[in-house]
mmCIF file with all atom_site columns, all heavy atoms in Angstrom:
data_model
loop_
_atom_site.group_PDB
_atom_site.id
_atom_site.type_symbol
_atom_site.label_atom_id
_atom_site.label_alt_id
_atom_site.label_comp_id
_atom_site.label_asym_id
_atom_site.label_entity_id
_atom_site.label_seq_id
_atom_site.pdbx_PDB_ins_code
_atom_site.Cartn_x
_atom_site.Cartn_y
_atom_site.Cartn_z
_atom_site.occupancy
_atom_site.B_iso_or_equiv
_atom_site.pdbx_formal_charge
_atom_site.auth_seq_id
_atom_site.auth_comp_id
_atom_site.auth_asym_id
_atom_site.auth_atom_id
_atom_site.pdbx_PDB_model_num
ATOM 1   N N   . GLU A 1 24 ? 0.037   5.114  146.488 1.00 58.00 ? 24 GLU A N   1
ATOM 2   C CA  . GLU A 1 24 ? -0.787  6.016  147.171 1.00 58.00 ? 24 GLU A CA  1
ATOM 3   C C   . GLU A 1 24 ? -1.599  6.809  146.167 1.00 58.00 ? 24 GLU A C   1
ATOM 4   O O   . GLU A 1 24 ? -1.109  7.269  145.150 1.00 58.00 ? 24 GLU A O   1
ATOM 5   C CB  . GLU A 1 24 ? 0.058   7.033  147.961 1.00 58.00 ? 24 GLU A CB  1
ATOM 6   C CG  . GLU A 1 24 ? 0.847   6.353  149.105 1.00 58.00 ? 24 GLU A CG  1
ATOM 7   C CD  . GLU A 1 24 ? 1.667   7.303  149.946 1.00 58.00 ? 24 GLU A CD  1
ATOM 8   O OE1 . GLU A 1 24 ? 1.373   8.532  149.935 1.00 58.00 ? 24 GLU A OE1 1
ATOM 9   O OE2 . GLU A 1 24 ? 2.633   6.837  150.509 1.00 58.00 ? 24 GLU A OE2 1
ATOM 10  N N   . ARG A 1 25 ? -2.814  6.981  146.469 1.00 63.00 ? 25 ARG A N   1
ATOM 11  C CA  . ARG A 1 25 ? -3.771  7.700  145.572 1.00 63.00 ? 25 ARG A CA  1
ATOM 12  C C   . ARG A 1 25 ? -3.921  9.077  146.104 1.00 63.00 ? 25 ARG A C   1
ATOM 13  O O   . ARG A 1 25 ? -4.057  9.355  147.293 1.00 63.00 ? 25 ARG A O   1
ATOM 14  C CB  . ARG A 1 25 ? -5.130  6.970  145.542 1.00 63.00 ? 25 ARG A CB  1
ATOM 15  C CG  . ARG A 1 25 ? -4.974  5.630  145.020 1.00 63.00 ? 25 ARG A CG  1
ATOM 16  C CD  . ARG A 1 25 ? -6.386  5.016  144.917 1.00 63.00 ? 25 ARG A CD  1
ATOM 17  N NE  . ARG A 1 25 ? -6.262  3.706  144.377 1.00 63.00 ? 25 ARG A NE  1
ATOM 18  C CZ  . ARG A 1 25 ? -7.118  2.679  144.634 1.00 63.00 ? 25 ARG A CZ  1
ATOM 19  N NH1 . ARG A 1 25 ? -8.188  2.902  145.469 1.00 63.00 ? 25 ARG A NH1 1
ATOM 20  N NH2 . ARG A 1 25 ? -6.930  1.478  144.218 1.00 63.00 ? 25 ARG A NH2 1
ATOM 21  N N   . GLU A 1 26 ? -3.973  10.021 145.245 1.00 63.00 ? 26 GLU A N   1
ATOM 22  C CA  . GLU A 1 26 ? -4.212  11.407 145.569 1.00 63.00 ? 26 GLU A CA  1
ATOM 23  C C   . GLU A 1 26 ? -5.679  11.650 145.636 1.00 63.00 ? 26 GLU A C   1
ATOM 24  O O   . GLU A 1 26 ? -6.389  11.389 144.736 1.00 63.00 ? 26 GLU A O   1
ATOM 25  C CB  . GLU A 1 26 ? -3.524  12.365 144.548 1.00 63.00 ? 26 GLU A CB  1
ATOM 26  C CG  . GLU A 1 26 ? -2.054  12.328 144.484 1.00 63.00 ? 26 GLU A CG  1
ATOM 27  C CD  . GLU A 1 26 ? -1.529  13.259 143.521 1.00 63.00 ? 26 GLU A CD  1
ATOM 28  O OE1 . GLU A 1 26 ? -2.189  14.272 143.190 1.00 63.00 ? 26 GLU A OE1 1
ATOM 29  O OE2 . GLU A 1 26 ? -0.395  13.049 143.013 1.00 63.00 ? 26 GLU A OE2 1
ATOM 30  N N   . GLU A 1 27 ? -6.131  12.179 146.742 1.00 66.00 ? 27 GLU A N   1
ATOM 31  C CA  . GLU A 1 27 ? -7.572  12.474 146.933 1.00 66.00 ? 27 GLU A CA  1
ATOM 32  C C   . GLU A 1 27 ? -7.713  13.960 146.704 1.00 66.00 ? 27 GLU A C   1
ATOM 33  O O   . GLU A 1 27 ? -7.067  14.802 147.298 1.00 66.00 ? 27 GLU A O   1
ATOM 34  C CB  . GLU A 1 27 ? -7.957  12.145 148.329 1.00 66.00 ? 27 GLU A CB  1
ATOM 35  C CG  . GLU A 1 27 ? -7.939  10.682 148.620 1.00 66.00 ? 27 GLU A CG  1
ATOM 36  C CD  . GLU A 1 27 ? -8.499  10.353 149.970 1.00 66.00 ? 27 GLU A CD  1
ATOM 37  O OE1 . GLU A 1 27 ? -9.281  11.161 150.548 1.00 66.00 ? 27 GLU A OE1 1
ATOM 38  O OE2 . GLU A 1 27 ? -8.230  9.246  150.467 1.00 66.00 ? 27 GLU A OE2 1
ATOM 39  N N   . THR A 1 28 ? -8.509  14.263 145.742 1.00 67.00 ? 28 THR A N   1
ATOM 40  C CA  . THR A 1 28 ? -8.757  15.644 145.437 1.00 67.00 ? 28 THR A CA  1
ATOM 41  C C   . THR A 1 28 ? -10.041 16.092 146.130 1.00 67.00 ? 28 THR A C   1
ATOM 42  O O   . THR A 1 28 ? -11.045 15.380 145.962 1.00 67.00 ? 28 THR A O   1
ATOM 43  C CB  . THR A 1 28 ? -8.836  15.912 143.940 1.00 67.00 ? 28 THR A CB  1
ATOM 44  O OG1 . THR A 1 28 ? -9.922  15.010 143.434 1.00 67.00 ? 28 THR A OG1 1
ATOM 45  C CG2 . THR A 1 28 ? -7.551  15.537 143.257 1.00 67.00 ? 28 THR A CG2 1
ATOM 46  N N   . VAL A 1 29 ? -9.978  17.209 146.775 1.00 65.00 ? 29 VAL A N   1
ATOM 47  C CA  . VAL A 1 29 ? -11.122 17.739 147.446 1.00 65.00 ? 29 VAL A CA  1
ATOM 48  C C   . VAL A 1 29 ? -11.525 19.018 146.711 1.00 65.00 ? 29 VAL A C   1
ATOM 49  O O   . VAL A 1 29 ? -10.776 19.902 146.637 1.00 65.00 ? 29 VAL A O   1
ATOM 50  C CB  . VAL A 1 29 ? -10.824 18.022 149.001 1.00 65.00 ? 29 VAL A CB  1
ATOM 51  C CG1 . VAL A 1 29 ? -12.052 18.532 149.658 1.00 65.00 ? 29 VAL A CG1 1
ATOM 52  C CG2 . VAL A 1 29 ? -10.386 16.705 149.618 1.00 65.00 ? 29 VAL A CG2 1
ATOM 53  N N   . LEU A 1 30 ? -12.758 19.041 146.339 1.00 61.00 ? 30 LEU A N   1
ATOM 54  C CA  . LEU A 1 30 ? -13.187 20.247 145.614 1.00 61.00 ? 30 LEU A CA  1
ATOM 55  C C   . LEU A 1 30 ? -13.876 21.145 146.620 1.00 61.00 ? 30 LEU A C   1
ATOM 56  O O   . LEU A 1 30 ? -14.596 20.656 147.612 1.00 61.00 ? 30 LEU A O   1
ATOM 57  C CB  . LEU A 1 30 ? -14.312 19.824 144.565 1.00 61.00 ? 30 LEU A CB  1
ATOM 58  C CG  . LEU A 1 30 ? -13.776 18.947 143.470 1.00 61.00 ? 30 LEU A CG  1
ATOM 59  C CD1 . LEU A 1 30 ? -14.967 18.523 142.558 1.00 61.00 ? 30 LEU A CD1 1
ATOM 60  C CD2 . LEU A 1 30 ? -12.717 19.626 142.680 1.00 61.00 ? 30 LEU A CD2 1
ATOM 61  N N   . PRO A 1 31 ? -13.638 22.418 146.585 1.00 62.00 ? 31 PRO A N   1
ATOM 62  C CA  . PRO A 1 31 ? -14.256 23.272 147.514 1.00 62.00 ? 31 PRO A CA  1
ATOM 63  C C   . PRO A 1 31 ? -15.768 23.352 147.325 1.00 62.00 ? 31 PRO A C   1
ATOM 64  O O   . PRO A 1 31 ? -16.222 23.360 146.221 1.00 62.00 ? 31 PRO A O   1
ATOM 65  C CB  . PRO A 1 31 ? -13.612 24.689 147.243 1.00 62.00 ? 31 PRO A CB  1
ATOM 66  C CG  . PRO A 1 31 ? -13.163 24.559 145.764 1.00 62.00 ? 31 PRO A CG  1
ATOM 67  C CD  . PRO A 1 31 ? -12.794 23.162 145.576 1.00 62.00 ? 31 PRO A CD  1
ATOM 68  N N   . ALA A 1 32 ? -16.456 23.272 148.444 1.00 62.00 ? 32 ALA A N   1
ATOM 69  C CA  . ALA A 1 32 ? -17.896 23.296 148.378 1.00 62.00 ? 32 ALA A CA  1
ATOM 70  C C   . ALA A 1 32 ? -18.400 24.719 148.666 1.00 62.00 ? 32 ALA A C   1
ATOM 71  O O   . ALA A 1 32 ? -17.962 25.328 149.594 1.00 62.00 ? 32 ALA A O   1
ATOM 72  C CB  . ALA A 1 32 ? -18.484 22.344 149.359 1.00 62.00 ? 32 ALA A CB  1
ATOM 73  N N   . GLU A 1 33 ? -19.224 25.111 147.805 1.00 64.00 ? 33 GLU A N   1
ATOM 74  C CA  . GLU A 1 33 ? -19.845 26.467 147.976 1.00 64.00 ? 33 GLU A CA  1
ATOM 75  C C   . GLU A 1 33 ? -21.281 26.284 148.638 1.00 64.00 ? 33 GLU A C   1
ATOM 76  O O   . GLU A 1 33 ? -22.196 25.688 147.958 1.00 64.00 ? 33 GLU A O   1
ATOM 77  C CB  . GLU A 1 33 ? -20.002 27.223 146.704 1.00 64.00 ? 33 GLU A CB  1
ATOM 78  C CG  . GLU A 1 33 ? -18.648 27.560 146.085 1.00 64.00 ? 33 GLU A CG  1
ATOM 79  C CD  . GLU A 1 33 ? -18.782 28.302 144.747 1.00 64.00 ? 33 GLU A CD  1
ATOM 80  O OE1 . GLU A 1 33 ? -19.918 28.902 144.531 1.00 64.00 ? 33 GLU A OE1 1
ATOM 81  O OE2 . GLU A 1 33 ? -17.842 28.281 144.005 1.00 64.00 ? 33 GLU A OE2 1
ATOM 82  N N   . VAL A 1 34 ? -21.273 26.617 149.869 1.00 57.00 ? 34 VAL A N   1
ATOM 83  C CA  . VAL A 1 34 ? -22.589 26.429 150.588 1.00 57.00 ? 34 VAL A CA  1
ATOM 84  C C   . VAL A 1 34 ? -23.052 27.734 151.060 1.00 57.00 ? 34 VAL A C   1
ATOM 85  O O   . VAL A 1 34 ? -22.344 28.505 151.696 1.00 57.00 ? 34 VAL A O   1
ATOM 86  C CB  . VAL A 1 34 ? -22.360 25.447 151.785 1.00 57.00 ? 34 VAL A CB  1
ATOM 87  C CG1 . VAL A 1 34 ? -23.692 25.219 152.552 1.00 57.00 ? 34 VAL A CG1 1
ATOM 88  C CG2 . VAL A 1 34 ? -21.864 24.093 151.293 1.00 57.00 ? 34 VAL A CG2 1
ATOM 89  N N   . ASP A 1 35 ? -24.332 28.073 150.823 1.00 61.00 ? 35 ASP A N   1
ATOM 90  C CA  . ASP A 1 35 ? -24.912 29.287 151.365 1.00 61.00 ? 35 ASP A CA  1
ATOM 91  C C   . ASP A 1 35 ? -25.051 29.160 152.929 1.00 61.00 ? 35 ASP A C   1
ATOM 92  O O   . ASP A 1 35 ? -25.179 28.064 153.463 1.00 61.00 ? 35 ASP A O   1
ATOM 93  C CB  . ASP A 1 35 ? -26.277 29.547 150.824 1.00 61.00 ? 35 ASP A CB  1
ATOM 94  C CG  . ASP A 1 35 ? -26.233 29.834 149.333 1.00 61.00 ? 35 ASP A CG  1
ATOM 95  O OD1 . ASP A 1 35 ? -25.154 30.270 148.929 1.00 61.00 ? 35 ASP A OD1 1
ATOM 96  O OD2 . ASP A 1 35 ? -27.210 29.668 148.632 1.00 61.00 ? 35 ASP A OD2 1
ATOM 97  N N   . SER A 1 36 ? -25.084 30.203 153.541 1.00 59.00 ? 36 SER A N   1
ATOM 98  C CA  . SER A 1 36 ? -25.198 30.171 155.012 1.00 59.00 ? 36 SER A CA  1
ATOM 99  C C   . SER A 1 36 ? -26.603 29.663 155.451 1.00 59.00 ? 36 SER A C   1
ATOM 100 O O   . SER A 1 36 ? -26.705 28.983 156.469 1.00 59.00 ? 36 SER A O   1
ATOM 101 C CB  . SER A 1 36 ? -24.978 31.574 155.650 1.00 59.00 ? 36 SER A CB  1
ATOM 102 O OG  . SER A 1 36 ? -25.992 32.414 155.177 1.00 59.00 ? 36 SER A OG  1
ATOM 103 N N   . ASP A 1 37 ? -27.592 29.838 154.673 1.00 59.00 ? 37 ASP A N   1
ATOM 104 C CA  . ASP A 1 37 ? -28.880 29.362 155.009 1.00 59.00 ? 37 ASP A CA  1
ATOM 105 C C   . ASP A 1 37 ? -28.923 27.841 154.897 1.00 59.00 ? 37 ASP A C   1
ATOM 106 O O   . ASP A 1 37 ? -29.493 27.116 155.690 1.00 59.00 ? 37 ASP A O   1
ATOM 107 C CB  . ASP A 1 37 ? -29.974 29.903 154.088 1.00 59.00 ? 37 ASP A CB  1
ATOM 108 C CG  . ASP A 1 37 ? -30.209 31.366 154.220 1.00 59.00 ? 37 ASP A CG  1
ATOM 109 O OD1 . ASP A 1 37 ? -29.858 31.844 155.358 1.00 59.00 ? 37 ASP A OD1 1
ATOM 110 O OD2 . ASP A 1 37 ? -30.647 32.082 153.369 1.00 59.00 ? 37 ASP A OD2 1
ATOM 111 N N   . GLU A 1 38 ? -28.218 27.305 153.853 1.00 58.00 ? 38 GLU A N   1
ATOM 112 C CA  . GLU A 1 38 ? -28.196 25.825 153.726 1.00 58.00 ? 38 GLU A CA  1
ATOM 113 C C   . GLU A 1 38 ? -27.398 25.197 154.898 1.00 58.00 ? 38 GLU A C   1
ATOM 114 O O   . GLU A 1 38 ? -27.745 24.142 155.340 1.00 58.00 ? 38 GLU A O   1
ATOM 115 C CB  . GLU A 1 38 ? -27.606 25.489 152.331 1.00 58.00 ? 38 GLU A CB  1
ATOM 116 C CG  . GLU A 1 38 ? -28.477 25.770 151.242 1.00 58.00 ? 38 GLU A CG  1
ATOM 117 C CD  . GLU A 1 38 ? -27.932 25.513 149.874 1.00 58.00 ? 38 GLU A CD  1
ATOM 118 O OE1 . GLU A 1 38 ? -26.785 24.742 149.855 1.00 58.00 ? 38 GLU A OE1 1
ATOM 119 O OE2 . GLU A 1 38 ? -28.446 25.896 148.801 1.00 58.00 ? 38 GLU A OE2 1
ATOM 120 N N   . ALA A 1 39 ? -26.327 25.889 155.335 1.00 55.00 ? 39 ALA A N   1
ATOM 121 C CA  . ALA A 1 39 ? -25.572 25.331 156.326 1.00 55.00 ? 39 ALA A CA  1
ATOM 122 C C   . ALA A 1 39 ? -26.341 25.304 157.695 1.00 55.00 ? 39 ALA A C   1
ATOM 123 O O   . ALA A 1 39 ? -26.240 24.282 158.451 1.00 55.00 ? 39 ALA A O   1
ATOM 124 C CB  . ALA A 1 39 ? -24.240 26.180 156.544 1.00 55.00 ? 39 ALA A CB  1
ATOM 125 N N   . VAL A 1 40 ? -27.121 26.308 157.802 1.00 55.00 ? 40 VAL A N   1
ATOM 126 C CA  . VAL A 1 40 ? -27.988 26.302 159.071 1.00 55.00 ? 40 VAL A CA  1
ATOM 127 C C   . VAL A 1 40 ? -28.971 25.211 158.975 1.00 55.00 ? 40 VAL A C   1
ATOM 128 O O   . VAL A 1 40 ? -29.308 24.492 159.990 1.00 55.00 ? 40 VAL A O   1
ATOM 129 C CB  . VAL A 1 40 ? -28.652 27.703 159.231 1.00 55.00 ? 40 VAL A CB  1
ATOM 130 C CG1 . VAL A 1 40 ? -29.752 27.658 160.312 1.00 55.00 ? 40 VAL A CG1 1
ATOM 131 C CG2 . VAL A 1 40 ? -27.629 28.733 159.497 1.00 55.00 ? 40 VAL A CG2 1
ATOM 132 N N   . GLN A 1 41 ? -29.596 24.969 157.791 1.00 59.00 ? 41 GLN A N   1
ATOM 133 C CA  . GLN A 1 41 ? -30.564 23.859 157.695 1.00 59.00 ? 41 GLN A CA  1
ATOM 134 C C   . GLN A 1 41 ? -29.909 22.539 157.907 1.00 59.00 ? 41 GLN A C   1
ATOM 135 O O   . GLN A 1 41 ? -30.521 21.645 158.469 1.00 59.00 ? 41 GLN A O   1
ATOM 136 C CB  . GLN A 1 41 ? -31.185 23.969 156.340 1.00 59.00 ? 41 GLN A CB  1
ATOM 137 C CG  . GLN A 1 41 ? -32.260 25.098 156.133 1.00 59.00 ? 41 GLN A CG  1
ATOM 138 C CD  . GLN A 1 41 ? -32.861 25.142 154.805 1.00 59.00 ? 41 GLN A CD  1
ATOM 139 O OE1 . GLN A 1 41 ? -32.355 24.499 153.803 1.00 59.00 ? 41 GLN A OE1 1
ATOM 140 N NE2 . GLN A 1 41 ? -33.880 25.923 154.603 1.00 59.00 ? 41 GLN A NE2 1
ATOM 141 N N   . MET A 1 42 ? -28.738 22.348 157.461 1.00 56.00 ? 42 MET A N   1
ATOM 142 C CA  . MET A 1 42 ? -28.039 21.087 157.583 1.00 56.00 ? 42 MET A CA  1
ATOM 143 C C   . MET A 1 42 ? -27.764 20.775 159.073 1.00 56.00 ? 42 MET A C   1
ATOM 144 O O   . MET A 1 42 ? -27.964 19.711 159.516 1.00 56.00 ? 42 MET A O   1
ATOM 145 C CB  . MET A 1 42 ? -26.688 21.094 156.831 1.00 56.00 ? 42 MET A CB  1
ATOM 146 C CG  . MET A 1 42 ? -26.828 20.921 155.443 1.00 56.00 ? 42 MET A CG  1
ATOM 147 S SD  . MET A 1 42 ? -25.180 20.790 154.717 1.00 56.00 ? 42 MET A SD  1
ATOM 148 C CE  . MET A 1 42 ? -25.435 21.268 153.017 1.00 56.00 ? 42 MET A CE  1
ATOM 149 N N   . THR A 1 43 ? -27.349 21.786 159.801 1.00 52.00 ? 43 THR A N   1
ATOM 150 C CA  . THR A 1 43 ? -27.115 21.565 161.233 1.00 52.00 ? 43 THR A CA  1
ATOM 151 C C   . THR A 1 43 ? -28.411 21.293 162.031 1.00 52.00 ? 43 THR A C   1
ATOM 152 O O   . THR A 1 43 ? -28.489 20.555 162.891 1.00 52.00 ? 43 THR A O   1
ATOM 153 C CB  . THR A 1 43 ? -26.379 22.789 161.894 1.00 52.00 ? 43 THR A CB  1
ATOM 154 O OG1 . THR A 1 43 ? -27.155 23.925 161.613 1.00 52.00 ? 43 THR A OG1 1
ATOM 155 C CG2 . THR A 1 43 ? -24.990 22.948 161.232 1.00 52.00 ? 43 THR A CG2 1
ATOM 156 N N   . ASP A 1 44 ? -29.510 22.071 161.580 1.00 50.00 ? 44 ASP A N   1
ATOM 157 C CA  . ASP A 1 44 ? -30.811 21.812 162.273 1.00 50.00 ? 44 ASP A CA  1
ATOM 158 C C   . ASP A 1 44 ? -31.283 20.429 161.980 1.00 50.00 ? 44 ASP A C   1
ATOM 159 O O   . ASP A 1 44 ? -31.877 19.786 162.882 1.00 50.00 ? 44 ASP A O   1
ATOM 160 C CB  . ASP A 1 44 ? -31.872 22.831 161.807 1.00 50.00 ? 44 ASP A CB  1
ATOM 161 C CG  . ASP A 1 44 ? -31.486 24.293 162.333 1.00 50.00 ? 44 ASP A CG  1
ATOM 162 O OD1 . ASP A 1 44 ? -30.655 24.404 163.294 1.00 50.00 ? 44 ASP A OD1 1
ATOM 163 O OD2 . ASP A 1 44 ? -32.014 25.256 161.787 1.00 50.00 ? 44 ASP A OD2 1
ATOM 164 N N   . ASP A 1 45 ? -31.229 19.992 160.750 1.00 50.00 ? 45 ASP A N   1
ATOM 165 C CA  . ASP A 1 45 ? -31.625 18.617 160.431 1.00 50.00 ? 45 ASP A CA  1
ATOM 166 C C   . ASP A 1 45 ? -30.862 17.556 161.159 1.00 50.00 ? 45 ASP A C   1
ATOM 167 O O   . ASP A 1 45 ? -31.466 16.600 161.584 1.00 50.00 ? 45 ASP A O   1
ATOM 168 C CB  . ASP A 1 45 ? -31.580 18.390 158.878 1.00 50.00 ? 45 ASP A CB  1
ATOM 169 C CG  . ASP A 1 45 ? -32.493 19.296 158.093 1.00 50.00 ? 45 ASP A CG  1
ATOM 170 O OD1 . ASP A 1 45 ? -33.448 19.742 158.718 1.00 50.00 ? 45 ASP A OD1 1
ATOM 171 O OD2 . ASP A 1 45 ? -32.293 19.379 156.857 1.00 50.00 ? 45 ASP A OD2 1
ATOM 172 N N   . SER A 1 46 ? -29.570 17.723 161.313 1.00 51.00 ? 46 SER A N   1
ATOM 173 C CA  . SER A 1 46 ? -28.801 16.766 161.986 1.00 51.00 ? 46 SER A CA  1
ATOM 174 C C   . SER A 1 46 ? -29.164 16.647 163.457 1.00 51.00 ? 46 SER A C   1
ATOM 175 O O   . SER A 1 46 ? -29.139 15.611 164.058 1.00 51.00 ? 46 SER A O   1
ATOM 176 C CB  . SER A 1 46 ? -27.274 16.969 161.800 1.00 51.00 ? 46 SER A CB  1
ATOM 177 O OG  . SER A 1 46 ? -27.009 18.220 162.420 1.00 51.00 ? 46 SER A OG  1
#
Side-chain angles (χ1 to χ4, degrees):
E24 295 182 22
R25 297 181 182 153
E26 293 182 24
E27 294 183 20
T28 58
V29 178
L30 299 175
E33 295 180 21
V34 178
D35 292 339
S36 61
D37 294 335
E38 291 177 9
V40 170
Q41 287 178 348
M42 285 185 200
T43 56
D44 290 343
D45 291 342
S46 64

